[in-house]
Amino acid sequence: MLRSVLLATALSALTLGAAQAQTAVKIGVLGDRSGVYSDISGEGSVVAARLAVEDFAKLDPSVKVEIVSADHQNKPDVGAALARQWYDRDGVDMVIDGVTSSVALAINQVTREKNKAFIDTGAGTADLTGPQCTPNTVHWVYDTVALANGTGGAMVKRGGDTWFFLTADYVFGQTLQRDTSTVVTKNGGKVVGSVKTPFPTADFSSFLLQAQGSGAKVIGLANAGGDTINAIKQAGEFGITEGGQALAGLLVFSSDVYSLGTKVAQGLVLTEPFYWDLTDGTRAFSDRFAKQMNGRKPTANHAGVYAGILHYLKAAAALKDVKDGAKTVAKMKEMPTDDPLFGKGTIRVDGRKIHDMYLFEVKKPAESKGPWDLYKTLATIPGNEVFRPLNEGGCPLVKG
């Protein structure tokens, strides 16, 4: 009898010890599930998150992860309210995705207030690592400065020295125009005009006519997702590129080019940090992703969700507690990043994730071997060249 009691006590202690050793993490995927950015974000971000959790479990089963998701509808007030509810009531430790800059800035502030963690993978504004930087946010994937340096710099060097912008009328479009204009003028070019377009909008005809009438060599599309697709399609209908003007898609995802087709998008120059067909690692992940997404390949945002969660979970495993968001993010910055989609990298003190970017050109139909065979690589741009220097962003976390 005594032996049985001792054995039961020992087993109970072992069970309790195992339970105590397990770190519980709850992650909220907060993106656009129904609007113009749903192909960039949407269900694909949730699939990418689950794949990251699945892969990390093979490395370290001591971290128990729960994924929840919601649609912020591209509205800052909705995004902020959802993040607040998740943090206050639902026990979410980290929010990821955040596509749409105005929403990401709202999530950024709530996250700092609640001392949780936010990994922005979908929104572009470089202000997240500039004046709006916090100890609780990491900016993965890309930003408006990197896009400007990549596409803007390349177009000027190719002779596109006069620009007219079609700019989505919210913080992302305005920031992208600002940062690209800086690169254009720095490289000897000139901005001859711009027009703000409603976000979102289906009809770009009047705006394209203004751009056409400006005589600018380059029409810069400071928009994304469905807006970019509509603008490029309608520019084709107006014969703008046939008339000698070039289109610069300042934020273009592979899903956009897939929707347009190579016949419409051929020759478009763009900058991305990820493409499904870059390496064995990107191809293997993309094949797994496509099996759950009816054959669709992942966007750079989806890749960022996967890679960002992997790195966050590494920090969680090291700390064994993620309740202090700033402490968790500090651990992420301390650890070098390494994953099959972005390779080796670092996270700076301002929260900027550093990795290479790629200058791509959309293939001609005759060059493409299939519906997702979209890009040829023009150049690899080192991360320390394409992202803004640490001391130029105005982040209050940067000393000196």
Side-chain angles (χ1 to χ4, degrees), residues 144-154 157 179-180 183 186-187 271 381 385-389:
T144 49
V145 171
L147 297 172
N149 282 330
T151 307
K157 289 172 185 174
D179 293 338
T180 308
V183 171
K186 184 178 178 181
N187 284 276
T271 304
I381 313 170
E385 294 178 14
V386 74
F387 289 105
R388 178 175 56 203

Side-chain angles (χ1 to χ4, degrees), residues 54-368:
E54 179 184 311
D55 288 351
F56 189 79
K58 298 171 188 173
L59 300 173
D60 190 342
S62 72
V63 182
K64 181 184 177 183
V65 187
E66 181 182 352
I67 300 289
V68 295
S69 64
D71 184 357
H72 60 49
Q73 302 170 45
N74 296 313
K75 297 176 181 177
D77 56 339
V78 173
L82 285 167
R84 192 177 300 278
Q85 175 187 307
W86 276 353
Y87 294 147
D88 284 345
R89 192 188 75 183
D90 300 335
V92 168
D93 301 296
M94 184 268 278
V95 168
I96 196 163
D97 193 341
V99 66
T100 315
S101 290
S102 53
V103 180
L105 289 169
I107 297 169
N108 181 55
Q109 292 306 312
V110 175
T111 302
R112 182 173 194 173
E113 176 191 332
K114 300 299 179 180
N115 192 25
K116 300 296 184 178
F118 174 39
I119 303 177
D120 170 55
T121 59
T125 177
D127 289 355
L128 280 168
T129 55
Q132 302 295 318
C133 79
T134 84
N136 301 77
T137 293
V138 172
H139 198 175
W140 214 282
V141 188
Y142 70 97
D143 62 29
T144 49
V145 171
L147 297 172
N149 282 330
T151 307
M155 294 297 282
V156 175
K157 289 172 185 174
R158 293 173 118 195
D161 55 4
T162 54
W163 285 62
F164 186 99
F165 289 94
L166 267 60
T167 303
D169 192 13
Y170 80 107
V171 65
F172 163 71
Q174 294 157 13
T175 309
L176 186 52
Q177 179 184 330
R178 177 197 71 193
D179 293 338
T180 308
S181 296
T182 299
V183 171
V184 168
T185 54
K186 184 178 178 181
N187 284 276
K190 182 181 179 182
V191 177
V192 299
S194 66
V195 60
K196 291 180 179 178
T197 64
F199 170 74
T201 188
D203 185 4
F204 283 86
S205 55
S206 64
F207 311 121
L208 286 165
L209 286 171
Q210 288 183 60
Q212 195 173 35
S214 74
K217 293 179 183 176
V218 179
I219 299 172
L221 302 178
N223 51 24
D227 280 358
T228 300
I229 291 169
N230 288 331
I232 293 172
K233 281 181 178 176
Q234 290 166 36
E237 293 166 6
F238 279 100
I240 284 177
T241 54
E242 292 173 7
Q245 290 175 297
L247 289 178
L250 296 171
L251 177 55
V252 177
F253 290 88
S254 56
S255 56
D256 304 327
V257 177
Y258 172 80
S259 295
L260 287 163
T262 53
K263 185 176 180 181
V264 173
Q266 61 181 306
L268 189 68
V269 175
L270 56 106
T271 304
E272 285 219 63
F274 168 86
Y275 174 51
W276 72 269
D277 199 19
L278 277 175
T279 66
D280 288 343
T282 61
R283 284 186 283 272
F285 168 76
S286 300
D287 286 346
R288 291 170 62 205
F289 179 94
K291 286 176 183 176
Q292 297 189 41
M293 289 294 293
N294 297 316
R296 294 186 69 86
K297 299 295 187 183
T299 65
N301 180 44
H302 300 144
V305 170
Y306 174 88
I309 287 177
L310 273 186
H311 194 65
Y312 175 81
L313 293 178
K314 289 176 186 177
L319 291 172
K320 305 192 185 314
D321 183 6
V322 293
K323 299 309 174 188
D324 185 327
K327 185 177 180 181
T328 308
V329 169
K331 190 66 178 177
M332 292 175 68
K333 292 175 181 177
E334 178 187 312
M335 303 167 68
T337 63
D338 191 4
D339 64 79
L341 307 187
F342 295 88
K344 297 181 186 297
T346 57
I347 301 172
R348 298 190 313 203
V349 66
D350 61 352
R352 178 66 257 165
K353 163 69 167 63
I354 303 298
H355 46 247
D356 292 347
M357 299 278 282
Y358 303 92
L359 189 69
F360 294 119
E361 183 176 319
V362 177
K363 290 182 175 182
K364 296 174 182 176
E367 297 171 322
S368 176

